[in-house]
């Protein structure tokens, strides 16, 4: 199918992008276009104006800033995948990125687009939640920062308002005792996950502390399983503790096109067992 007619404008600066977005009631940011163009072609959305942000200089930066690591909204998935800095300082994202779609899509798709689009089965929103990250936004009233916990509000619904541009995400830099785990089940590699899990923790003797388990594909947004996190915290991670965490899994996935909620809950338990082992491995 062909999209409904729309106007196109290329922004040269962030200020330019925000003022262009304000010109139309139903304007939309165009980043990598890997999700947006498909929804236009299928006429699932019909914005009147696309504001292309690809010409804004510096929006693709990847940089360590003290104890935080910043990834610009226009950083492509492929750029993140190849980055030695990401591998060293944000290993969870390095683990997750190869699971996103296929190389051609990763060449164009952006980190900001993935977070803004907020597909409930996407990898990066869950990583951001597992890492306790934050999101920088610029809108008509200036800049603001929103924590990942408050950013994902519902199915494809975020804290972004109509004239906002997501400019960057920030996550804590990995430390010596940081531990990470990532696993997902998809019908084919590169498909959106049926169920996935991004996790972070800190080594604490033979056990773990500050455990954050962010599941995706199990609800309208990525979700933390706080009872399972508590069950994994404290003593040594042995088979008994992992089994207790699986039993404590506080998820209630709805049925979807992939499977019933019951099957998804079972798969979430399978992933939790795998990821719990990963969390115990020194980096
Ligand atoms: C076949 C296929 C398979 C895929 N598989 C996966 C997968 O397994 N996992 C996964 O995570 N993704 C997957 N994707 C999606 C891909 O990762 C997209 O790149 C991503 O979701 C959107 O990024 P984009 O830069 O292409 O955004 P666009 O398509 O340009 O935009 C998507 C939406 O976000 C908004 N937006 C984009 N950037 C900003 C910004 N900076 N500020 C404000 N709003 C913004 C747009 O207005 C639009 O509404 C797949 C896509 C395809 C086509």
């Amino acid at each position: 199918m062909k999209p409904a007619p729309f106007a196109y404008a290329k922004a040269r600066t962030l200020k330019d992008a925000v003022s262009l977005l304000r010109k139309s009631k139903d304007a939309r940011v165009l980043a990598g276009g890997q999700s947006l163009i498909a929804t236009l072609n299928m006429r699932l959305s019909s914005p009147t104006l696309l504001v292309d942000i690809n010409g804004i200089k510096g929006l693709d930066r990847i940089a360590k800033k003290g104890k935080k690591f910043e990834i610009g909204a226009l950083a492509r998935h492929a750029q993140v995948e190849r980055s030695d800095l990401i591998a060293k300082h944000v290993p969870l994202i390095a683990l997750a990125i190869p699971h996103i779609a296929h190389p051609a899509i990763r060449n164009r798709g952006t980190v900001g687009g993935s977070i803004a689009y907020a597909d409930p089965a996407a990898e990066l929103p869950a990583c951001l939640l597992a890492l306790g990250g934050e999101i920088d936004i610029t809108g008509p009233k200036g800049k603001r920062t929103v924590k990942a916990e408050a950013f994902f509000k519902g199915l494809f619904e975020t804290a972004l308002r109509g004239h906002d541009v997501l400019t960057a995400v920030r996550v804590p830099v990995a430390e010596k005792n940081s531990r990470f785990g990532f696993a997902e089940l998809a019908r084919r590699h590169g498909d959106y996950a049926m169920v996935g899990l991004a996790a972070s923790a800190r080594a604490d003797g033979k056990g773990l502390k500050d455990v954050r388990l962010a599941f995706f594909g199990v609800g309208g947004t990525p979700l933390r399983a706080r009872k399972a996190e508590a069950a994994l915290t404290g003593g040594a991670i042995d088979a008994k503790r992992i089994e207790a965490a699986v039993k404590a899994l506080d998820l209630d996935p709805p049925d979807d096109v992939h499977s019933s909620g019951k099957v998804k809950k079972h798969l979430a338990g399978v992933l939790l067992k795998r990821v719990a082992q990963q969390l115990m491995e020194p980096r």
Side-chain angles (χ1 to χ4, degrees):
M1 275 169 73
K2 287 195 173 140
F6 58 83
Y8 169 91
K10 186 150 189 167
R12 295 290 168 198
T13 64
L14 206 47
K15 205 172 152 198
D16 193 18
V18 174
S19 75
L20 283 166
L21 285 166
R22 290 184 81 176
K23 280 196 177 149
S24 166
K25 228 178 159 190
D26 190 18
R28 210 64 64 78
V29 170
L30 172 66
Q34 299 303 295
S35 299
L36 181 59
I37 300 301
T39 64
L40 299 192
N41 287 345
M42 288 188 274
R43 299 216 175 188
L44 293 171
S45 67
S46 45
T48 47
L49 170 68
L50 295 192
V51 176
D52 185 345
I53 60 169
N54 286 277
I56 303 178
K57 284 205 175 73
L59 221 52
D60 61 350
R61 71 200 168 276
I62 290 180
K64 182 174 175 290
K65 293 191 169 174
K67 289 190 165 192
K68 295 278 173 88
F69 196 93
E70 192 168 292
I71 306 175
L74 274 184
R76 313 276 166 192
H77 301 321
Q79 181 188 346
V80 170
E81 191 175 7
R82 288 194 293 263
S83 165
D84 293 338
L85 283 177
I86 296 270
K88 182 173 176 196
H89 298 299
V90 203
L92 180 61
I93 289 187
L95 287 173
I97 285 272
H99 293 270
I100 298 178
H102 312 289
I105 291 162
R106 295 202 292 273
N107 278 340
R108 288 300 299 165
T110 64
V111 169
S114 184
I115 301 296
Y117 192 56
D119 190 297
E123 290 80 1
L124 291 180
C127 288
L128 219 54
L129 188 62
L131 293 169
E134 53 195 21
I135 293 115
D136 285 347
I137 299 166
T138 296
K141 289 186 183 161
K143 293 181 186 174
R144 66 188 195 279
T145 298
V146 179
K147 289 198 180 310
E149 219 93 51
F151 183 80
F152 302 105
K153 291 189 172 296
L155 191 62
F156 296 105
E157 194 196 336
T158 69
L160 286 169
R161 297 192 279 259
H163 306 135
D164 285 342
V165 181
L166 189 161
T167 55
V169 300
R170 246 186 331 276
V171 293
V173 166
E175 293 176 1
K176 232 183 173 176
N177 67 344
S178 302
R179 298 287 182 267
F180 304 101
F182 185 90
E184 73 171 50
L185 291 162
R187 288 197 185 271
R188 295 170 305 183
H189 184 85
D191 281 1
Y192 275 107
M194 292 170 73
V195 183
L197 170 57
S200 74
R202 284 178 190 282
D204 185 26
K206 287 187 175 169
L208 296 170
K209 61 181 180 181
D210 301 333
V211 180
R212 294 173 71 98
L213 302 173
F215 283 89
F216 52 105
V218 294
T221 64
L223 291 171
R224 281 181 68 186
R226 292 177 190 268
K227 288 186 180 161
E229 289 174 358
L232 272 189
T233 304
I237 300 291
D238 51 19
K240 208 170 143 197
R241 186 171 291 277
I242 294 174
E243 211 45 66
V246 172
K247 258 198 178 146
L249 253 186
D250 39 339
L251 296 173
D252 186 15
D255 301 347
D256 68 14
V257 288
H258 294 301
S259 67
S260 68
K262 202 173 159 199
V263 167
K264 277 177 177 267
K265 177 109 186 245
H266 170 75
L267 296 178
V270 171
L271 293 182
L272 179 52
K273 285 182 190 170
R274 293 179 189 172
V275 166
Q277 300 286 355
Q278 292 175 24
L279 288 175
M280 286 312 295
E281 287 160 18
R283 290 188 299 117

